[in-house]
Amino acid sequence: SPFPSNASSSRADTPMPAPASIPLHAQLWRGNDRAAVAVPSLPTGHPDLDRLLPGSGWPRAALTELLAPQPGIGELSLLMPALARLSDEDTWIALVSPPHLPYAPALAQARVNLSRLLIIRTQDGADTLWAMEQALASGACSAAIGWPSFVNERALRRLQLAAEKGRALGMYFSGGQATSSSLAALRLSLFPAEDGLGVRVLKVRGPGIGTTLTLPLDGRPASAPAPLDSPVTARPSRVA
């Protein structure tokens, strides 16, 4: 036999090192640590939430999934501080197929530069995913936030690659029940709360999974119904 006859006995007699004493590579992530980020994160504007997130903010060059049971619970207000910061840059913020036209006075009061927003209406869920992918990969958009009617693994993989290429903030809203797996780097479940917006961490590279927070919001509506012929509308044209 090519193996020493006493291999099994010597292995059994050799004590295993304690987990804390095993040297770890600098890039190896441990489940009880917040992961390092390759691209600086964007502060959420909510310190309690930032403390749970790698890089202390929304992940760039990655996807974030926001599960909301219905529109109008304050979900866009959650993003206001980040949108305000991004709108100071010489890039675009793409809002793809929102259920309602974002409420301009609320955005302006939150210091969001309205001239940096692109509102993109789409024909169907496939167009929404395509428009998000183009915006994320373009390098001209610092963020693309979408409301797709469906997502699947192939679409999410393409969005992730696009976010990495454009080093952009990718976010999408989904409804229904949370699933056990997703390609998104960060997954948050949102729900109405008496004093603001409830946030439950479903997935994060760190110890915050399962944490529930109530984030205070200003109480103003972030979106309101708008006619379909709103002048701030662009419709993408897919090229086969």
Side-chain angles (χ1 to χ4, degrees), residues 66-78 173 189-193 196-199 215 217 219-223:
L66 301 171
L67 287 93
Q70 61 189 43
I73 62 173
E75 68 279 6
L76 198 55
S77 295
L78 172 68
F173 286 93
S189 176
L190 312 180
F191 56 92
L197 179 68
V199 177
L215 303 180
L217 301 177
R220 291 186 297 273
S223 61

PDB file of all heavy atoms in Angstrom, residues 66-78 173 189-193 196-199 215 217 219-223:
ATOM      1  N   LEU A  66     -34.982  44.278  -1.682  1.00  0.00           N
ATOM      2  CA  LEU A  66     -35.852  44.865  -0.672  1.00  0.00           C
ATOM      3  C   LEU A  66     -37.235  44.251  -0.827  1.00  0.00           C
ATOM      4  O   LEU A  66     -37.925  44.504  -1.821  1.00  0.00           O
ATOM      5  CB  LEU A  66     -35.910  46.387  -0.838  1.00  0.00           C
ATOM      6  CG  LEU A  66     -34.565  47.112  -0.735  1.00  0.00           C
ATOM      7  CD1 LEU A  66     -34.714  48.580  -1.127  1.00  0.00           C
ATOM      8  CD2 LEU A  66     -33.985  46.998   0.670  1.00  0.00           C
ATOM      9  N   LEU A  67     -37.628  43.437   0.130  1.00  0.00           N
ATOM     10  CA  LEU A  67     -38.934  42.792   0.073  1.00  0.00           C
ATOM     11  C   LEU A  67     -39.952  43.685   0.771  1.00  0.00           C
ATOM     12  O   LEU A  67     -39.828  43.973   1.968  1.00  0.00           O
ATOM     13  CB  LEU A  67     -38.890  41.426   0.751  1.00  0.00           C
ATOM     14  CG  LEU A  67     -38.154  40.317  -0.008  1.00  0.00           C
ATOM     15  CD1 LEU A  67     -36.704  40.238   0.438  1.00  0.00           C
ATOM     16  CD2 LEU A  67     -38.840  38.985   0.198  1.00  0.00           C
ATOM     17  N   ALA A  68     -40.931  44.132   0.032  1.00  0.00           N
ATOM     18  CA  ALA A  68     -41.984  44.995   0.579  1.00  0.00           C
ATOM     19  C   ALA A  68     -43.333  44.391   0.228  1.00  0.00           C
ATOM     20  O   ALA A  68     -43.577  44.057  -0.936  1.00  0.00           O
ATOM     21  CB  ALA A  68     -41.869  46.408   0.013  1.00  0.00           C
ATOM     22  N   PRO A  69     -44.236  44.233   1.201  1.00  0.00           N
ATOM     23  CA  PRO A  69     -45.530  43.598   0.930  1.00  0.00           C
ATOM     24  C   PRO A  69     -46.402  44.405  -0.006  1.00  0.00           C
ATOM     25  O   PRO A  69     -47.250  43.863  -0.703  1.00  0.00           O
ATOM     26  CB  PRO A  69     -46.152  43.468   2.322  1.00  0.00           C
ATOM     27  CG  PRO A  69     -45.500  44.546   3.134  1.00  0.00           C
ATOM     28  CD  PRO A  69     -44.100  44.644   2.605  1.00  0.00           C
ATOM     29  N   GLN A  70     -46.185  45.738  -0.031  1.00  0.00           N
ATOM     30  CA  GLN A  70     -46.983  46.612  -0.886  1.00  0.00           C
ATOM     31  C   GLN A  70     -46.258  47.939  -1.004  1.00  0.00           C
ATOM     32  O   GLN A  70     -45.454  48.298  -0.139  1.00  0.00           O
ATOM     33  CB  GLN A  70     -48.372  46.849  -0.268  1.00  0.00           C
ATOM     34  CG  GLN A  70     -48.309  47.527   1.096  1.00  0.00           C
ATOM     35  CD  GLN A  70     -49.654  47.557   1.794  1.00  0.00           C
ATOM     36  OE1 GLN A  70     -50.384  46.573   1.795  1.00  0.00           O
ATOM     37  NE2 GLN A  70     -49.997  48.693   2.395  1.00  0.00           N
ATOM     38  N   PRO A  71     -46.489  48.682  -2.072  1.00  0.00           N
ATOM     39  CA  PRO A  71     -45.866  50.009  -2.187  1.00  0.00           C
ATOM     40  C   PRO A  71     -46.530  51.011  -1.255  1.00  0.00           C
ATOM     41  O   PRO A  71     -47.681  50.832  -0.849  1.00  0.00           O
ATOM     42  CB  PRO A  71     -46.117  50.363  -3.664  1.00  0.00           C
ATOM     43  CG  PRO A  71     -47.321  49.575  -4.058  1.00  0.00           C
ATOM     44  CD  PRO A  71     -47.261  48.304  -3.266  1.00  0.00           C
ATOM     45  N   GLY A  72     -45.781  52.041  -0.883  1.00  0.00           N
ATOM     46  CA  GLY A  72     -46.344  53.107  -0.073  1.00  0.00           C
ATOM     47  C   GLY A  72     -46.180  52.947   1.412  1.00  0.00           C
ATOM     48  O   GLY A  72     -46.841  53.643   2.187  1.00  0.00           O
ATOM     49  N   ILE A  73     -45.280  52.058   1.866  1.00  0.00           N
ATOM     50  CA  ILE A  73     -45.069  51.879   3.301  1.00  0.00           C
ATOM     51  C   ILE A  73     -43.865  52.684   3.791  1.00  0.00           C
ATOM     52  O   ILE A  73     -43.466  52.559   4.947  1.00  0.00           O
ATOM     53  CB  ILE A  73     -44.874  50.394   3.658  1.00  0.00           C
ATOM     54  CG1 ILE A  73     -43.636  49.813   2.967  1.00  0.00           C
ATOM     55  CG2 ILE A  73     -46.116  49.597   3.301  1.00  0.00           C
ATOM     56  CD1 ILE A  73     -43.295  48.401   3.416  1.00  0.00           C
ATOM     57  N   GLY A  74     -43.286  53.500   2.910  1.00  0.00           N
ATOM     58  CA  GLY A  74     -42.106  54.274   3.270  1.00  0.00           C
ATOM     59  C   GLY A  74     -40.828  53.695   2.702  1.00  0.00           C
ATOM     60  O   GLY A  74     -39.742  54.109   3.085  1.00  0.00           O
ATOM     61  N   GLU A  75     -40.977  52.761   1.746  1.00  0.00           N
ATOM     62  CA  GLU A  75     -39.800  52.068   1.236  1.00  0.00           C
ATOM     63  C   GLU A  75     -38.849  53.002   0.484  1.00  0.00           C
ATOM     64  O   GLU A  75     -37.624  52.867   0.576  1.00  0.00           O
ATOM     65  CB  GLU A  75     -40.213  50.894   0.337  1.00  0.00           C
ATOM     66  CG  GLU A  75     -40.878  51.239  -0.976  1.00  0.00           C
ATOM     67  CD  GLU A  75     -42.351  51.562  -0.859  1.00  0.00           C
ATOM     68  OE1 GLU A  75     -42.854  51.638   0.288  1.00  0.00           O
ATOM     69  OE2 GLU A  75     -42.993  51.747  -1.904  1.00  0.00           O
ATOM     70  N   LEU A  76     -39.383  53.978  -0.246  1.00  0.00           N
ATOM     71  CA  LEU A  76     -38.496  54.896  -0.958  1.00  0.00           C
ATOM     72  C   LEU A  76     -37.874  55.908  -0.004  1.00  0.00           C
ATOM     73  O   LEU A  76     -36.743  56.367  -0.221  1.00  0.00           O
ATOM     74  CB  LEU A  76     -39.267  55.606  -2.079  1.00  0.00           C
ATOM     75  CG  LEU A  76     -38.410  56.263  -3.161  1.00  0.00           C
ATOM     76  CD1 LEU A  76     -37.442  55.266  -3.787  1.00  0.00           C
ATOM     77  CD2 LEU A  76     -39.294  56.884  -4.240  1.00  0.00           C
ATOM     78  N   SER A  77     -38.588  56.261   1.063  1.00  0.00           N
ATOM     79  CA  SER A  77     -38.016  57.157   2.071  1.00  0.00           C
ATOM     80  C   SER A  77     -36.779  56.538   2.722  1.00  0.00           C
ATOM     81  O   SER A  77     -35.868  57.250   3.131  1.00  0.00           O
ATOM     82  CB  SER A  77     -39.061  57.473   3.144  1.00  0.00           C
ATOM     83  OG  SER A  77     -40.142  58.203   2.601  1.00  0.00           O
ATOM     84  N   LEU A  78     -36.752  55.211   2.820  1.00  0.00           N
ATOM     85  CA  LEU A  78     -35.579  54.531   3.353  1.00  0.00           C
ATOM     86  C   LEU A  78     -34.324  54.865   2.541  1.00  0.00           C
ATOM     87  O   LEU A  78     -33.226  54.950   3.091  1.00  0.00           O
ATOM     88  CB  LEU A  78     -35.824  53.017   3.336  1.00  0.00           C
ATOM     89  CG  LEU A  78     -34.650  52.102   3.681  1.00  0.00           C
ATOM     90  CD1 LEU A  78     -34.258  52.248   5.141  1.00  0.00           C
ATOM     91  CD2 LEU A  78     -34.996  50.646   3.356  1.00  0.00           C
ATOM     92  N   PHE A 173     -36.959  45.917  -5.804  1.00  0.00           N
ATOM     93  CA  PHE A 173     -38.043  45.637  -4.864  1.00  0.00           C
ATOM     94  C   PHE A 173     -38.767  44.380  -5.309  1.00  0.00           C
ATOM     95  O   PHE A 173     -39.023  44.165  -6.491  1.00  0.00           O
ATOM     96  CB  PHE A 173     -39.023  46.804  -4.808  1.00  0.00           C
ATOM     97  CG  PHE A 173     -38.500  48.004  -4.077  1.00  0.00           C
ATOM     98  CD1 PHE A 173     -37.855  49.026  -4.761  1.00  0.00           C
ATOM     99  CD2 PHE A 173     -38.642  48.113  -2.699  1.00  0.00           C
ATOM    100  CE1 PHE A 173     -37.364  50.130  -4.085  1.00  0.00           C
ATOM    101  CE2 PHE A 173     -38.155  49.217  -2.022  1.00  0.00           C
ATOM    102  CZ  PHE A 173     -37.521  50.227  -2.716  1.00  0.00           C
ATOM    103  N   SER A 189     -36.181  42.697   4.562  1.00  0.00           N
ATOM    104  CA  SER A 189     -37.637  42.632   4.529  1.00  0.00           C
ATOM    105  C   SER A 189     -38.180  43.893   5.191  1.00  0.00           C
ATOM    106  O   SER A 189     -37.792  44.224   6.321  1.00  0.00           O
ATOM    107  CB  SER A 189     -38.127  41.377   5.265  1.00  0.00           C
ATOM    108  OG  SER A 189     -39.543  41.353   5.316  1.00  0.00           O
ATOM    109  N   LEU A 190     -39.057  44.597   4.506  1.00  0.00           N
ATOM    110  CA  LEU A 190     -39.606  45.855   5.003  1.00  0.00           C
ATOM    111  C   LEU A 190     -41.069  45.663   5.381  1.00  0.00           C
ATOM    112  O   LEU A 190     -41.801  44.938   4.716  1.00  0.00           O
ATOM    113  CB  LEU A 190     -39.491  46.942   3.926  1.00  0.00           C
ATOM    114  CG  LEU A 190     -38.127  47.092   3.238  1.00  0.00           C
ATOM    115  CD1 LEU A 190     -38.180  48.210   2.201  1.00  0.00           C
ATOM    116  CD2 LEU A 190     -37.016  47.347   4.253  1.00  0.00           C
ATOM    117  N   PHE A 191     -41.473  46.330   6.441  1.00  0.00           N
ATOM    118  CA  PHE A 191     -42.868  46.223   6.874  1.00  0.00           C
ATOM    119  C   PHE A 191     -43.254  47.492   7.620  1.00  0.00           C
ATOM    120  O   PHE A 191     -42.391  48.171   8.209  1.00  0.00           O
ATOM    121  CB  PHE A 191     -43.078  44.984   7.751  1.00  0.00           C
ATOM    122  CG  PHE A 191     -42.174  44.908   8.956  1.00  0.00           C
ATOM    123  CD1 PHE A 191     -42.569  45.429  10.184  1.00  0.00           C
ATOM    124  CD2 PHE A 191     -40.919  44.312   8.856  1.00  0.00           C
ATOM    125  CE1 PHE A 191     -41.734  45.358  11.289  1.00  0.00           C
ATOM    126  CE2 PHE A 191     -40.073  44.243   9.956  1.00  0.00           C
ATOM    127  CZ  PHE A 191     -40.485  44.759  11.170  1.00  0.00           C
ATOM    128  N   PRO A 192     -44.541  47.859   7.609  1.00  0.00           N
ATOM    129  CA  PRO A 192     -44.961  49.067   8.314  1.00  0.00           C
ATOM    130  C   PRO A 192     -44.775  48.909   9.820  1.00  0.00           C
ATOM    131  O   PRO A 192     -45.001  47.834  10.388  1.00  0.00           O
ATOM    132  CB  PRO A 192     -46.443  49.209   7.960  1.00  0.00           C
ATOM    133  CG  PRO A 192     -46.740  48.155   6.956  1.00  0.00           C
ATOM    134  CD  PRO A 192     -45.649  47.175   6.939  1.00  0.00           C
ATOM    135  N   ALA A 193     -44.340  49.975  10.461  1.00  0.00           N
ATOM    136  CA  ALA A 193     -44.177  49.996  11.913  1.00  0.00           C
ATOM    137  C   ALA A 193     -44.797  51.283  12.449  1.00  0.00           C
ATOM    138  O   ALA A 193     -44.899  52.280  11.728  1.00  0.00           O
ATOM    139  CB  ALA A 193     -42.705  49.899  12.305  1.00  0.00           C
ATOM    140  N   GLY A 196     -42.308  54.226  12.292  1.00  0.00           N
ATOM    141  CA  GLY A 196     -41.469  54.376  11.122  1.00  0.00           C
ATOM    142  C   GLY A 196     -41.582  53.174  10.206  1.00  0.00           C
ATOM    143  O   GLY A 196     -42.674  52.667   9.953  1.00  0.00           O
ATOM    144  N   LEU A 197     -40.442  52.694   9.757  1.00  0.00           N
ATOM    145  CA  LEU A 197     -40.400  51.555   8.855  1.00  0.00           C
ATOM    146  C   LEU A 197     -39.669  50.405   9.526  1.00  0.00           C
ATOM    147  O   LEU A 197     -38.548  50.571  10.019  1.00  0.00           O
ATOM    148  CB  LEU A 197     -39.682  51.933   7.556  1.00  0.00           C
ATOM    149  CG  LEU A 197     -39.550  50.825   6.511  1.00  0.00           C
ATOM    150  CD1 LEU A 197     -40.917  50.465   5.935  1.00  0.00           C
ATOM    151  CD2 LEU A 197     -38.602  51.258   5.395  1.00  0.00           C
ATOM    152  N   GLY A 198     -40.300  49.245   9.574  1.00  0.00           N
ATOM    153  CA  GLY A 198     -39.650  48.071  10.126  1.00  0.00           C
ATOM    154  C   GLY A 198     -38.734  47.433   9.090  1.00  0.00           C
ATOM    155  O   GLY A 198     -39.088  47.327   7.922  1.00  0.00           O
ATOM    156  N   VAL A 199     -37.547  47.024   9.529  1.00  0.00           N
ATOM    157  CA  VAL A 199     -36.553  46.408   8.645  1.00  0.00           C
ATOM    158  C   VAL A 199     -36.038  45.147   9.318  1.00  0.00           C
ATOM    159  O   VAL A 199     -35.562  45.195  10.461  1.00  0.00           O
ATOM    160  CB  VAL A 199     -35.377  47.363   8.354  1.00  0.00           C
ATOM    161  CG1 VAL A 199     -34.328  46.675   7.483  1.00  0.00           C
ATOM    162  CG2 VAL A 199     -35.868  48.645   7.698  1.00  0.00           C
ATOM    163  N   LEU A 215     -36.827  51.986  11.807  1.00  0.00           N
ATOM    164  CA  LEU A 215     -36.129  53.200  11.397  1.00  0.00           C
ATOM    165  C   LEU A 215     -37.117  54.346  11.297  1.00  0.00           C
ATOM    166  O   LEU A 215     -38.150  54.227  10.620  1.00  0.00           O
ATOM    167  CB  LEU A 215     -35.443  52.988  10.049  1.00  0.00           C
ATOM    168  CG  LEU A 215     -34.446  51.828   9.993  1.00  0.00           C
ATOM    169  CD1 LEU A 215     -33.843  51.717   8.595  1.00  0.00           C
ATOM    170  CD2 LEU A 215     -33.331  52.020  11.021  1.00  0.00           C
ATOM    171  N   LEU A 217     -38.879  57.551   9.979  1.00  0.00           N
ATOM    172  CA  LEU A 217     -38.988  58.235   8.701  1.00  0.00           C
ATOM    173  C   LEU A 217     -39.690  59.555   8.929  1.00  0.00           C
ATOM    174  O   LEU A 217     -40.314  59.786   9.955  1.00  0.00           O
ATOM    175  CB  LEU A 217     -39.769  57.375   7.702  1.00  0.00           C
ATOM    176  CG  LEU A 217     -39.167  55.987   7.419  1.00  0.00           C
ATOM    177  CD1 LEU A 217     -40.074  55.206   6.479  1.00  0.00           C
ATOM    178  CD2 LEU A 217     -37.774  56.108   6.823  1.00  0.00           C
ATOM    179  N   GLY A 219     -42.284  60.747   7.530  1.00  0.00           N
ATOM    180  CA  GLY A 219     -43.740  60.706   7.441  1.00  0.00           C
ATOM    181  C   GLY A 219     -44.325  61.272   6.172  1.00  0.00           C
ATOM    182  O   GLY A 219     -45.517  61.144   5.931  1.00  0.00           O
ATOM    183  N   ARG A 220     -43.509  61.902   5.322  1.00  0.00           N
ATOM    184  CA  ARG A 220     -44.034  62.437   4.067  1.00  0.00           C
ATOM    185  C   ARG A 220     -44.067  61.342   3.018  1.00  0.00           C
ATOM    186  O   ARG A 220     -43.189  60.482   2.982  1.00  0.00           O
ATOM    187  CB  ARG A 220     -43.166  63.607   3.584  1.00  0.00           C
ATOM    188  CG  ARG A 220     -43.267  64.837   4.462  1.00  0.00           C
ATOM    189  CD  ARG A 220     -42.502  65.988   3.820  1.00  0.00           C
ATOM    190  NE  ARG A 220     -41.087  65.669   3.723  1.00  0.00           N
ATOM    191  CZ  ARG A 220     -40.205  65.892   4.690  1.00  0.00           C
ATOM    192  NH1 ARG A 220     -40.607  66.383   5.846  1.00  0.00           N
ATOM    193  NH2 ARG A 220     -38.926  65.628   4.519  1.00  0.00           N
ATOM    194  N   PRO A 221     -45.030  61.370   2.130  1.00  0.00           N
ATOM    195  CA  PRO A 221     -45.078  60.345   1.085  1.00  0.00           C
ATOM    196  C   PRO A 221     -43.901  60.496   0.143  1.00  0.00           C
ATOM    197  O   PRO A 221     -43.518  61.597  -0.238  1.00  0.00           O
ATOM    198  CB  PRO A 221     -46.405  60.626   0.361  1.00  0.00           C
ATOM    199  CG  PRO A 221     -46.673  62.080   0.614  1.00  0.00           C
ATOM    200  CD  PRO A 221     -46.126  62.351   1.992  1.00  0.00           C
ATOM    201  N   ALA A 222     -43.308  59.358  -0.236  1.00  0.00           N
ATOM    202  CA  ALA A 222     -42.191  59.386  -1.178  1.00  0.00           C
ATOM    203  C   ALA A 222     -42.670  59.218  -2.605  1.00  0.00           C
ATOM    204  O   ALA A 222     -41.934  59.476  -3.540  1.00  0.00           O
ATOM    205  CB  ALA A 222     -41.194  58.288  -0.835  1.00  0.00           C
ATOM    206  N   SER A 223     -43.888  58.764  -2.776  1.00  0.00           N
ATOM    207  CA  SER A 223     -44.389  58.590  -4.128  1.00  0.00           C
ATOM    208  C   SER A 223     -45.884  58.858  -4.152  1.00  0.00           C
ATOM    209  O   SER A 223     -46.567  58.780  -3.131  1.00  0.00           O
ATOM    210  CB  SER A 223     -44.109  57.163  -4.628  1.00  0.00           C
ATOM    211  OG  SER A 223     -44.763  56.214  -3.814  1.00  0.00           O
TER     212      SER A 223
END
